[in-house]
Amino acid sequence: MKLERVLTKLKFDESVNGYALITSDGHPFLSFSLPDEVLPQIKGTLRIHGSDLRLVNIMTGEGTVILARVDPRWILAVLFEPDFQLGGALSRTKAVVDLLQQVDLPPPPAGIAEEEEVIPLVEEEPLAEMESAMTNESVMEETTTIEPIETMPAETPDEPPKVPVDVRYGCVVHRGENYKDSVTLDTKLNVAIKKEFANVGIDILLVVDEKMTVYRLAEHLARAVDKVISIVKWCISQDILWVECPEEQETAQKEIIELPLFEGKIDKVKKKHRPVLELCDGRTTLQEIATELGIPYFEALQSVVPYRGKTVKFIRTDKLSRF
């Protein structure tokens, strides 16, 4: 089971206002609409309960937050509507956690534990005295090590070929050679991407599985495709990501579309969804189906979403190939 499919259960739950996968230390890395205001309360609860935390509820000004441990490394935080019943919130969170335990979750970005070990060394007085007693010779040694580094920009001519890459919504996103460094806490790349794009950039990197397209990433994180494209382009320029765009090699005017195909039994679905699903034949777009039925596109989408990945699949094809 994929992480994307499991979290979809929360994304389309009307009682859920936000959620996040967070580390045992309270650092959110994969979040969706979880307000920053609730993070201090979450971190405080984690400090109190520590590794004993299993299933805890927190009353906040934004609503009820349920914390549930997925494994020793990850905790799921779900923010529910203020008026939603506590029993329902607990059971829904537990159901998602049970599914997450079947997913091969990635390890949290490295660096947190190491950071805590380094801090005491900086505070030691003997080390400060040694630094103040350094001679001019040591300073000169430092300056001499800087001079060779200034020759490094000679490598920049290798970078321009990466810039013209035409990133489109149909491109498959892959991890580059600097990917690991970019998701490690407090590295230069990690700090840079947070400064440029806040947590959205890190969220994108964490869900890149080398199978999803730009469009799928945007859909999974509920972000605008244009925003995801701009972040992916920046990551390409830093060797964090690279993309595979097969359609670019054929024709620049090719337009890829998705055609829904229903493969289940029509009498097993809700009656209000049947008119839409009956027209999901793998040859018609969802927009065309909505137009034919005279209903809004969003209404047609809501009839398909509950069955996506189960009895409904989407076929990607060139728009012109249908004619």
Side-chain angles (χ1 to χ4, degrees):
M1 185 171 294
K2 294 184 177 180
L3 178 61
E4 175 186 3
R5 184 178 299 178
V6 174
L7 294 182
T8 298
K9 295 181 178 296
L10 295 174
K11 184 184 299 183
F12 294 105
D13 189 333
E14 295 182 354
S15 64
V16 175
N17 285 344
Y19 60 84
L21 269 179
I22 60 179
T23 67
S24 295
D25 296 325
H27 294 271
F29 285 103
L30 186 57
S31 61
F32 177 78
S33 299
L34 189 68
D36 293 336
E37 291 79 3
V38 304
L39 291 179
Q41 290 179 263
I42 291 176
K43 290 183 178 180
T45 301
L46 293 177
R47 282 196 296 268
I48 294 173
H49 293 275
S51 59
D52 295 331
L53 184 144
R54 291 294 176 269
L55 196 63
V56 176
N57 68 288
I58 309 172
M59 305 305 294
T60 73
E62 304 293 330
T64 302
V65 175
I66 305 298
L67 298 180
R69 183 170 294 281
V70 179
D71 60 27
R73 305 169 301 176
W74 291 107
I75 293 170
L76 177 66
V78 185
L79 173 65
F80 288 90
E81 290 279 355
D83 298 331
F84 193 67
Q85 294 183 350
L86 179 59
L90 291 169
S91 61
R92 292 190 184 188
T93 304
K94 182 63 167 60
V96 174
V97 169
D98 290 342
L99 294 175
L100 284 174
Q101 291 175 344
Q102 303 174 34
V103 176
D104 185 15
L105 295 175
I112 299 176
E114 296 176 1
E115 177 182 322
E116 293 176 353
E117 293 175 1
V118 172
I119 292 175
L121 294 176
V122 178
E123 296 178 351
E124 291 182 1
E125 293 182 2
L127 180 59
E129 292 175 0
M130 289 174 63
E131 291 177 349
S132 62
M134 292 177 65
T135 65
N136 293 332
E137 293 180 0
S138 62
V139 175
M140 293 181 63
E141 290 177 357
E142 291 180 2
T143 57
T144 54
T145 58
I146 295 175
E147 291 179 0
I149 298 176
E150 293 177 355
T151 62
M152 295 300 290
E155 298 180 1
T156 54
D158 296 333
E159 296 180 5
K162 304 169 189 173
V163 178
V165 175
D166 185 12
V167 180
R168 302 179 183 179
Y169 70 91
C171 296
V172 178
V173 183
H174 295 270
R175 300 175 181 180
E177 60 182 71
N178 290 335
Y179 175 84
K180 185 176 181 181
D181 190 41
S182 68
V183 295
T184 300
L185 283 180
D186 295 334
T187 60
K188 289 183 179 180
L189 277 178
N190 184 261
V191 172
I193 194 171
K194 287 180 180 178
K195 183 178 179 180
E196 289 285 336
F197 310 108
N199 287 332
V200 181
I202 299 298
D203 289 347
I204 289 175
L205 294 180
L206 288 175
V207 298
V208 168
D209 60 358
E210 304 195 309
K211 297 178 182 178
M212 284 194 284
T213 61
V214 171
Y215 175 80
R216 293 295 185 195
L217 288 173
E219 182 184 47
H220 178 64
L221 295 171
R223 302 287 179 177
V225 175
D226 290 344
K227 177 68 173 178
V228 175
I229 287 177
S230 67
I231 295 175
V232 170
K233 282 184 175 180
W234 185 90
C235 290
I236 290 174
S237 71
Q238 304 296 320
D239 284 331
I240 297 172
L241 299 174
W242 63 277
V243 293
E244 181 182 8
C245 307
E247 64 272 18
E248 291 181 1
Q249 301 172 9
E250 299 175 13
T251 171
Q253 299 184 4
K254 175 178 285 190
E255 181 180 352
I256 303 300
I257 58 175
E258 293 188 331
L259 308 173
L261 175 63
F262 177 66
E263 298 180 312
K265 296 181 179 180
I266 200 67
D267 58 341
K268 296 293 184 181
V269 302
K270 294 183 179 180
K271 290 184 179 180
K272 64 179 181 179
H273 297 158
R274 292 179 186 178
V276 174
L277 294 174
E278 285 176 339
L279 297 179
C280 293
D281 55 6
R283 298 189 298 271
T284 311
T285 67
L286 197 57
Q287 181 62 64
E288 292 169 342
I289 292 174
T291 302
E292 182 175 342
L293 295 175
I295 61 176
Y297 172 81
F298 181 75
E299 184 176 335
L301 179 63
Q302 290 296 92
S303 298
V304 172
V305 166
Y307 313 99
R308 185 165 193 166
K310 300 174 184 177
T311 54
V312 172
K313 67 179 181 181
F314 282 79
I315 302 172
R316 297 180 69 250
T317 185
D318 176 16
K319 183 177 182 179
L320 296 178
S321 66
R322 296 193 300 156
F323 304 102

